[in-house]
Amino acid sequence: MYDCAIAISPGNTACRSNCAAALTAVRRLSNAARECLKAMKLDPAYVRAHKRLASLYLRFRQVENSRRHLCLHGIHEDQSEEQKLLLLEKHLNRCADARKFGDWERRLGNQKQPLLLEQIFCLSW
């Protein structure tokens, strides 16, 4: 459906962003990210595309890319995205420490933590 809308109006930023949302819903995340990038190329100030791409980058575990799009143009409407970003960053740092010191059990601690993170970063989007 969005392919037809984009074919009729290729410069419509909202169409591209909505297409990204639909692609995300069917778990075609790479394609969704490409549509967000196309939307931002058409209108670099289009906040919704930045927020969608930031959420996708979180799912890709790309903390810095996500932060860059969340902080761009002062996007701080939704504190839950920032909270997810901080939680993921903390977990990735703990994983890096565990890998560095070879002490997974002590560094990561509770086995429920990875399940919680999986719920937050995968199932909630």
Side-chain angles (χ1 to χ4, degrees), residues 3-122:
D3 291 337
C4 293
I6 290 170
I8 292 168
S9 182
N12 187 320
T13 307
C15 260
R16 295 251 179 220
S17 182
N18 291 341
C19 180
L23 289 167
T24 300
V26 295
R27 298 184 186 263
R28 292 178 51 197
L29 304 181
S30 295
N31 292 347
R34 277 192 288 280
E35 287 301 324
C36 286
L37 290 168
K38 289 176 184 177
M40 290 183 303
K41 188 174 183 181
L42 293 169
D43 182 0
Y46 192 66
V47 173
R48 184 166 289 186
H50 283 284
K51 287 178 74 172
R52 282 199 174 113
L53 188 58
S55 290
L56 287 165
Y57 279 143
L58 274 178
R59 290 180 81 170
F60 298 149
R61 312 304 196 255
Q62 296 180 15
V63 175
E64 287 307 313
N65 283 334
S66 181
R67 178 174 284 121
R68 186 169 44 105
H69 286 281
L70 274 178
C71 296
L72 197 66
H73 302 296
I75 304 170
H76 289 291
E77 301 164 5
D78 187 1
Q79 293 299 321
S80 68
E81 291 298 316
E82 183 67 25
Q83 189 69 19
K84 290 176 190 176
L85 181 66
L86 294 172
L87 185 59
L88 177 61
E89 187 172 40
K90 181 179 177 182
H91 181 71
L92 291 175
N93 287 339
R94 291 173 83 194
C95 287
D97 286 346
R99 186 178 300 119
K100 183 177 176 182
F101 298 111
D103 188 4
W104 289 95
E105 199 168 309
R106 191 168 67 92
R107 297 278 176 193
L108 295 178
N110 190 346
Q111 288 295 326
K112 293 179 183 174
Q113 183 75 15
L115 294 175
L116 174 65
L117 286 169
E118 202 57 34
Q119 287 174 341
I120 291 170
F121 297 110
C122 292

